[in-house]
């Protein structure tokens, strides 16, 4: 059995902690033979546990302890701590692992509730479960969500070589705002979401880049952001934004501009990787 979970790009500008999209890079969990003890085979680095301390298994075992241990192979195309939902993909895979092995028959809504409780907010875990774009809120213990197609476009991510922990990105955010600032930020987010739902990427792009909630505080942590954004605009990008807490920089473009933009981005010689992506429309899936 294989469990496949897409990477995700959260916030999408002003959709702070509430909007995310699923993209075409994947975490794959292969459940192999039964064993006396759980063991995860991976090549993700020496610091990633191979036993029940691994986030995959700690998530699964928090849901059900009544499971036969197995040997598991974990492979990931999702870079760690880069703003593409690496931990969220593992959490969603862990929930699905428990769902399959313990035969829980969880609904997608139940998976989202559990994942949000673990992660603390739904912006990454929701699209990892549903695919496409998900707009969600988490207030108290209540999770509300709306799924939608994302407007047709190409996505090009520049992924810097360094990690940026979510905790460090959150430390630069203000602790409180004035009522006037909150209303202004909310109005920008409302227009962004309405335009995305309508398929109007020109309007959505302007609002995405007008975010008040987090990007103006975090952009200084990602030194490549001004250069990437300048080149993206020179090649007709709809928007450039920080993916999640960063440092990945996501660019939305019409397909006819993608090749020229990627070539220009490569010419900058920045230290990082370039991923050409599409929207994943499936979310978590199981192959048996």
């Amino acid at each position: 059995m294989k469990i496949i979970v897409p990477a995700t790009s959260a916030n999408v500008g002003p959709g702070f902690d509430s909007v995310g999209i699923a993209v075409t890079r994947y975490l794959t969990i292969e459940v192999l033979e039964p064993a006396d003890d759980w063991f995860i085979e991976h090549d993700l680095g020496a610091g990633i546990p191979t036993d029940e301390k691994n986030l995959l298994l700690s998530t699964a075992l928090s849901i059900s302890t009544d499971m036969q241990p197995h040997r598991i192979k974990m492979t990931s195309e999702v870079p760690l701590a880069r703003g593409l939902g690496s931990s969220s993909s593992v959490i969603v895979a862990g929930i699905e692992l428990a769902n399959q092995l313990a035969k829980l028959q969880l609904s997608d809504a139940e998976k989202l509730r559990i994942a949000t409780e673990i992660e603390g907010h739904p912006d990454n875990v929701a699209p990892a479960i549903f695919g496409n774009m998900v707009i969600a809120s988490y207030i108290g213990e209540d999770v509300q969500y709306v799924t939608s197609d994302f407007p047709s476009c190409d996505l090009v991510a520049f992924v810097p070589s360094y990690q940026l922990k979510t905790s460090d990105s959150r430390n630069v955010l203000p602790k409180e705002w004035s009522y006037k600032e909150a209303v202004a930020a909310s109005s920008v987010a409302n227009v962004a979401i309405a335009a995305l739902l309508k398929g109007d990427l020109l309007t959505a792009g302007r609002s995405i880049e007008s975010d008040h909630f987090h990007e103006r505080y975090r952009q200084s942590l990602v030194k490549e952001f001004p250069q990437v954004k300048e080149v993206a605009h020179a090649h007709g990008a709809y928007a450039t934004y920080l993916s999640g807490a960063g440092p990945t920089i996501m660019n939305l473009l019409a397909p006819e501009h993608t090749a020229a933009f990627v070539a220009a981005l490569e010419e900058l010689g920045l230290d990082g990787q370039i991923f050409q992506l599409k929207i994943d429309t499936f979310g978590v899936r199981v192959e048996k």
Side-chain angles (χ1 to χ4, degrees), residues 6 58 66 69 94 142 150-151 163 167 173 197 200 210 238 276 285:
S58 64
D66 187 23
D142 185 35
F150 195 76
Q163 296 185 351
S167 57
L173 301 179
L197 293 175
D200 180 357
S210 299
Y238 296 116
Q276 295 186 54
R285 62 188 191 272

Side-chain angles (χ1 to χ4, degrees), residues 174-187:
K175 303 301 180 185
E176 57 184 34
W177 264 5
S178 71
Y179 187 81
K180 182 178 180 180
E181 288 174 319
V183 170
S186 178
S187 69

